[in-house]
């Protein structure tokens, strides 16, 4: 097996190291202390009971109004079902109100438990404490500063208000129902950052905005003119039950992105192959909704890339989306180490998921905690034009580092990976195969060489090409459980 280099970076990799960002750390989904909206003023001196008393008539509002309270739930935990707003929504608003959070002590701050463990953020490892000096507080270390610099450079997409009505509806805001769509936009935006600017890119605080960066933001604007807007996502997802004001699950969201990417490719004719990026959903069987672990078929990927590039190139950059159901009401704990391990993959795009009822974009882990970007802040629409580099993009980034226990994640989720070229894909398969070996018979997903084969594919130590990258034909088809000469427990993958 080719030597695997640990993927890490020092603070010198950043365009603008921010060692004194004054960033804060919070623990639960919902806007942090710095989150606010110009039209929403909260009286901090209000009675605790004010958070408990909800108007009995408020649950009958046909369309959300005003601002979202801190941590308000918006998304059903159903995997592919759509539900309406009713008594459940009212109870969630009451239980998750800021007053209730203070009563139950949910507003903790700081690095999880003062941990000095390494942080993995989308394939990059940050050491908050150096081996030769453990006396420094983790939040004062260069490693933590570099982590915050990286975290705050990821694109944040939140609830917006004041955009043009969606289709023929009167919806001009996605408050209380659009968190899954916004979370998915963040994951795809990260894929485009990797695709166009590379993993070491950081948003500079004192340099002019880069053209490519502005072009990426424009794709996620809140109008039909922006290719990946909430307007176009809802239109593309009608087949999967998406509609304004309704909640949606990760599987339907992944399929919607696949459909939208295909339609936009057909509209533009994909003139510039060098800028193309495929979106591919890894599913368990033909309908993708039930069965064992999702299967990544190499033969299908090769064909997909060939069709996308019209045969002009051998490989096209691919965004892989892997929708999963890892339990019923609660995630099965056997999957937690596997989920955490995916953040060490250089191809990692994080997890589309979050707490039950509140979708977020999970970007990193430390010990048993997950770091995430939260879409539940209401912000005015920003008109991003590709030819204007002086636009204020501060609302698309966040310096507040939030985390929650990984074992509280909703079992319905989706993992994302980005493979730039064939060698990157080969490396991804090596790591994924090793993860299968560690799964004790219950992998997150498996790899197969052809769709018709009934065997899994594992990467073993092989001779490599002159470039040090395994050849595509270096796959071994091995019957499940026979790679090490011993049998494995039956796959206990949860069914929908």
């Amino acid at each position: 097996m080719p030597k695997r280099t640990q993927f890490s970076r020092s603070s010198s990799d950043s365009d603008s190291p921010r060692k004194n960002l004054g960033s804060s750390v919070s623990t639960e989904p919902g806007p942090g202390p710095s989150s606010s909206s110009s039209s929403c003023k909260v009286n901090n001196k209000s009675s605790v009971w004010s958070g408990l008393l909800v108007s009995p008539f408020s649950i009958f509002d046909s369309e959300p109004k005003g601002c979202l309270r801190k941590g308000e739930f918006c998304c059903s935990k159903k995997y592919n079902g759509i539900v309406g707003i009713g008594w459940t929504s009212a109870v969630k608003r009451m239980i998750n109100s800021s007053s209730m959070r203070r009563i139950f002590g949910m507003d903790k701050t700081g690095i999880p438990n003062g941990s000095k463990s390494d942080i993995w953020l989308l394939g990059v490892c940050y050491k908050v404490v150096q081996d030769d000096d453990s006396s420094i507080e983790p939040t004062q270390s260069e490693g933590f500063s570099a982590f915050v610099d990286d975290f705050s450079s990821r694109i944040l997409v939140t609830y917006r208000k004041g955009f043009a009505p969606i289709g023929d509806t009167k919806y001009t805001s996605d408050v209380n129902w659009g968190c899954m769509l916004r979370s998915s936009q963040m994951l795809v935006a990260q894929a485009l950052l990797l695709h166009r600017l590379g993993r070491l890119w950081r948003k500079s605080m004192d340099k002019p905005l880069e053209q490519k960066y502005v072009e990426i933001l424009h794709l996620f604007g809140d109008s039909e003119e922006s290719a990946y807007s909430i307007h176009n996502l809802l239109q593309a997802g009608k087949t999967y039950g998406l509609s304004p004001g309704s909640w949606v699950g990760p599987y339907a969201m992944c399929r919607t992105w696949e459909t939208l990417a295909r339609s936009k490719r057909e509209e533009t004719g994909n003139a510039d192959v060098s800028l193309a990026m495929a979106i591919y959903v890894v599913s368990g069987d033909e309908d993708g909704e039930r069965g064992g672990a999702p299967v990544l078929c190499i033969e299908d990927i090769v064909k997909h890339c060939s069709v996308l590039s019209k045969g002009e190139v051998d490989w096209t950059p691919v965004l892989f989306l892997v929708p999963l159901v890892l339990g019923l009401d609660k995630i099965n704990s056997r999957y937690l180490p596997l989920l955490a391990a995916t953040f060490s993959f250089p191809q990692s795009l994080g997890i589309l998921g979050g707490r039950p009822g509140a979708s977020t974009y999970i970007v990193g882990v430390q010990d048993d905690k997950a770091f995430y970007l939260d879409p539940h802040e209401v912000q005015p629409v920003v008109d991003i034009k590709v030819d204007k580099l002086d636009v204020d993009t501060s609302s698309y980034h966040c310096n507040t580092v939030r985390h929650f226990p990984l074992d509280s994640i909703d079992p319905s989720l989706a993992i994302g990976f980005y493979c730039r070229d064939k060698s990157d894909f080969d490396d991804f398969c090596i790591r994924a195969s090793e993860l299968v070996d560690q799964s004790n018979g219950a992998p997150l997903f498996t790899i197969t060489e052809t769709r018709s084969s009934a065997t899994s594919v594992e990467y073993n130590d092989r001779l490599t090409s002159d470039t040090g990258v395994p050849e595509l034909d270096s796959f071994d088809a091995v019957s499940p459980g026979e790679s090490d000469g011993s049998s494995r427990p039956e796959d206990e993958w949860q069914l929908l």
Side-chain angles (χ1 to χ4, degrees):
M1 181 181 296
K3 182 179 179 180
R4 289 165 50 187
T5 304
Q6 183 177 3
F7 200 82
S8 61
R9 60 179 290 278
S10 65
S11 58
S12 61
D13 292 328
S14 170
D15 292 334
S16 59
R18 298 176 217 174
K19 297 184 179 180
N20 296 300
L21 279 172
S23 62
S24 59
V25 183
S26 180
T27 61
E28 295 289 332
S34 61
S35 301
S36 62
S37 176
S38 59
S39 63
C40 184
K41 302 292 184 181
V42 179
N43 183 1
N44 293 329
K45 296 182 180 180
S46 60
S47 167
V48 166
W49 299 107
S50 64
L52 302 179
L53 301 177
V54 181
S55 169
F57 301 103
S58 63
I59 63 172
F60 298 107
D61 290 343
S62 60
E63 186 171 346
K65 298 179 181 179
C67 295
L68 184 67
R69 292 177 182 270
K70 177 180 178 183
E72 192 167 30
F73 282 4
C74 80
C75 219
S76 169
K77 70 178 181 178
K78 290 197 175 186
Y79 188 60
N80 196 21
I82 308 297
V83 297
I85 299 175
W87 288 101
T88 301
S89 176
V91 173
K92 286 181 178 180
R93 287 201 300 270
M94 180 187 75
I95 295 299
N96 211 41
S97 66
S98 58
S99 298
M100 289 293 287
R101 298 162 81 81
R102 286 194 296 271
I103 291 174
F104 292 107
M106 296 180 181
D107 288 329
K108 300 176 182 178
T109 59
I111 282 186
N113 302 320
S115 176
K116 297 182 178 180
S117 300
D118 295 346
I119 297 175
W120 281 98
L121 178 67
L122 300 175
V124 179
C125 181
Y126 292 98
K127 292 185 175 295
V128 296
V129 174
Q130 298 298 323
D131 297 335
D132 56 350
D133 188 1
S134 59
S135 62
I136 299 178
E137 285 295 322
T139 56
Q140 304 301 316
S141 68
E142 291 187 2
F144 183 76
S145 176
F147 159 69
V148 174
D149 186 39
D150 190 352
F151 180 89
S152 60
S153 293
R154 301 312 103 204
I155 291 178
L156 171 72
V157 186
T158 70
Y159 288 151
R160 296 283 177 175
K161 61 179 181 178
F163 49 68
I166 299 174
D168 297 329
T169 73
K170 296 182 179 180
Y171 282 94
T172 59
S173 172
D174 61 314
V175 177
N176 293 340
W177 57 268
C179 61
M180 178 62 72
L181 287 92
R182 298 303 189 179
S183 300
S184 72
Q185 285 179 318
M186 286 190 264
L187 188 149
V188 176
Q190 173 59 20
L192 289 171
L193 284 178
L194 286 176
H195 184 60
R196 301 292 304 278
L197 295 169
R199 184 60 182 90
L200 297 183
W201 178 85
R202 301 292 181 267
K203 184 179 183 297
S204 175
M205 299 178 65
D206 52 9
K207 295 180 181 179
L209 299 179
E210 298 177 50
Q211 180 68 44
K212 291 181 180 180
Y213 163 73
V214 175
E215 290 174 356
I216 291 173
L217 289 186
H218 173 72
L219 292 173
F220 300 93
D222 295 296
S223 70
E224 294 181 359
E225 296 178 358
S226 297
Y228 301 145
S229 67
I230 192 171
H231 299 66
N232 290 326
L233 278 170
L234 290 168
Q235 177 63 31
K238 285 183 176 180
T239 304
Y240 302 101
L242 270 69
S243 63
S246 297
W247 299 315
V248 63
Y251 173 77
M253 197 71 254
C254 292
R255 287 298 184 188
T256 295
W257 275 105
E258 189 177 49
T259 301
L260 179 59
R262 184 187 308 115
S263 66
K264 292 302 177 183
R265 185 165 64 248
E266 292 172 352
E267 287 179 11
T268 61
N270 206 29
D272 191 348
V273 175
S274 65
L275 298 178
M277 181 181 73
I279 295 182
Y280 186 89
V281 177
V282 182
S283 59
D285 59 11
E286 291 183 359
D287 64 11
E289 297 187 26
R290 59 181 65 251
V295 179
L296 191 156
C297 177
I298 298 165
E299 182 181 54
D300 288 352
I301 299 301
V302 173
K303 290 180 179 178
H304 197 71
C305 291
S306 177
V307 170
L308 181 63
S309 67
K310 299 178 180 178
E312 295 182 23
V313 294
D314 294 332
W315 181 267
T316 299
V318 181
L319 160 57
F320 292 105
L321 295 173
V322 190
L324 303 169
V325 180
L326 304 179
L328 298 177
D329 294 332
K330 185 182 172 100
I331 189 170
N332 190 323
S333 60
R334 71 188 301 173
Y335 296 111
L336 296 175
L338 304 179
L339 285 177
T342 62
F343 287 96
S344 66
F345 288 27
Q347 301 83 10
S348 171
L349 291 176
I351 296 175
L352 171 60
R355 303 292 289 274
S359 177
T360 61
Y361 175 37
I362 303 172
V363 295
V365 291
Q366 183 188 38
D367 297 326
D368 59 348
K369 299 296 190 295
F371 296 101
Y372 66 96
L373 289 169
D374 191 352
H376 295 87
E377 178 185 356
V378 186
Q379 303 189 89
V381 167
V382 177
D383 187 17
I384 304 290
K385 300 293 186 182
V386 294
D387 57 347
K388 293 185 179 180
L389 302 183
D390 57 349
V391 64
D392 180 9
T393 64
S394 59
S395 65
Y396 286 93
H397 297 274
C398 178
N399 289 341
T400 301
V401 179
R402 300 184 176 98
H403 61 82
F404 61 74
L406 187 59
D407 63 4
S408 65
I409 190 173
D410 193 296
S412 295
L413 53 91
I415 313 176
F417 301 97
Y418 169 79
C419 295
R420 180 180 298 277
D421 50 35
K422 178 178 173 294
S423 63
D424 202 20
F425 177 68
D426 290 338
D427 179 77
F428 167 73
C429 289
I430 292 173
R431 295 170 186 272
S433 180
E434 292 175 350
L435 202 59
V436 171
D437 292 339
Q438 300 168 17
S439 68
N440 195 28
L444 296 175
F445 59 93
T446 60
I447 303 174
T448 184
E449 190 170 9
T450 63
R451 178 62 63 182
S452 59
S453 65
T455 56
S456 63
V457 174
E458 298 190 1
Y459 271 79
N460 295 326
D461 290 341
R462 322 269 306 161
L463 294 176
T464 61
S465 63
D466 294 336
T467 60
V469 178
E471 297 294 345
L472 191 59
D473 59 4
S474 63
F475 292 92
D476 283 337
V478 185
S479 298
E482 294 182 2
S483 61
D484 57 358
S486 61
S487 61
R488 293 174 178 167
E490 183 180 354
D491 189 349
E492 297 179 4
W493 232 83
Q494 296 285 357
L495 303 184
L496 286 178

